[in-house]
Amino acid sequence: MNRKKKHRFYIKGAVIWISVVFFSIVAILVGNHIVTKDFSLFSESGEEAAKGQVIDILDRSSVESPFGETESSTNTIIRFTCKIKNGLYKDQVVDAQQSIDSMYSGSELIKEVEPRDSIMLFKTEPSDPSITAWQFGDYYRFDKIVILGMIFAGLVLLIGRGKGINTLLSLTFTFLFVFLVFVPSVMNGFNAYIGAAITCFYTIVMTLVLINGISKKTLATMIGCVSGIIFASIATNIMSKILLLTGFVDEHSVYLIFLNPDKPIDLTAIIFAAIIIGAMGAIMDVAMDISSSLFELCEHAPNITFQKLLKSGMRIGRDIMGTMANTLVLAYIGSSLSSIILLLTYSNSIMHLLNREVIIVEFLQALIGSLAIMLTIPFTVFTCGLIYLRRKEENS
């Protein structure tokens, strides 16, 4: 590539990159404005929350309370002074208290506050004047997660270099779109099926174009991803009707029903969205691996035939399929391990356990995701064969 062509190539790449970033930001801002109309987040609770730092412990007392005929509980109260770090009461020093009830499961693991601890406080309006208005909520942990996130970002940039920047950008845009557009849209009564489809389309196009630019490889990957998502959507809708799913998988589902009485949330649509969005990452990964591998194969074996390319692609796909299906299943098991242990404890039999809707939904997520991966492989391989070999014929 001569200097002039190389210069044009970089200019074209820069224009595409700026355009994708611009339209991604616009999509998030406009989408958030539309879905949050006449609706606001974090407005249901009457309590004021603030971050604070413990200054000094004032006193510590314990109160015994009878519990049943033979048992009693101990309520330990730690009173302390705390400096508020944000919000309306920033820089004020207030009296606060932490209550630890021995009957609370896991109370022995709760650490008593100490000077210099960063905590979350909640301001209440107690009916008893002897009770402190500011109550200990939890330890402030987000700053530690930020440090871990910075380490992650640093490693991505160190290993990925230029593509590392695009990886972080695509991850950020995906996160913002899900939590600023999709989630508020569901809470405000918008159609969750359409919202999930838009989220998938936005994420696929934005991520692939941002990371790989506009190319035949990107096009092949997009077609493979869309085919997998379409199959997953159809299969999820069919199986939801066959399995007679209601969406009441846990106690949180009940609360969702009353979240927006004027526009009730469709719980089966929440299951649909969870399956589709959850499978999307694995589908994109598989489609990208295959399209990238076959692109390199075509570049280094210019005389390869369509049949040989298909065979090579299917071999690559089989190797990817086993580990990716395991990744998907293990991710779902890991994310709901506590619920699984609890259900095992309170189920009468294995048949009772396996017929609970929450377990059926977990099976459905894993199976639909794995099936979508398996069907994404041949779709992507076939698409790559058509696009890559056609490009070679045009260039010859």
Side-chain angles (χ1 to χ4, degrees), residues 191-256:
N191 190 305
Y193 293 100
I194 297 175
I198 292 173
T199 300
C200 289
F201 179 78
Y202 168 85
T203 304
I204 289 170
V205 174
M206 177 272 299
T207 301
L208 295 178
V209 176
L210 192 60
I211 292 176
N212 290 309
I214 298 176
S215 63
K216 298 292 180 69
K217 187 198 300 185
T218 300
L219 178 61
T221 307
M222 282 184 186
I223 294 173
C225 289
V226 171
S227 65
I229 293 296
I230 289 174
F231 167 78
S233 302
I234 294 172
T236 301
N237 274 321
I238 293 173
M239 291 306 300
S240 293
K241 291 179 173 59
I242 293 174
L243 296 171
L244 304 176
L245 297 181
T246 63
F248 289 97
V249 294
D250 53 29
E251 69 276 7
H252 300 113
S253 304
V254 180
Y255 298 137
L256 287 177

Side-chain angles (χ1 to χ4, degrees), residues 51 131 306:
K51 177 188 172 184
I131 299 176
F306 185 79

Side-chain angles (χ1 to χ4, degrees), residues 11 17 23 25 31 42 47 71 73 78 97 102 112 120 124 154 170 175 186 196 215 270-271 286 332 341 351 372 376:
I11 291 177
W17 187 88
F23 284 113
I25 294 172
F42 311 115
E47 298 180 339
E71 297 181 353
S73 66
I78 301 94
Q97 72 177 31
S102 63
E112 293 186 10
M120 289 297 297
T124 60
S170 66
F175 179 87
V186 174
S215 63
I270 298 296
I271 293 176
V286 169
Y332 286 132
I341 293 173
M351 193 56 64
T376 299

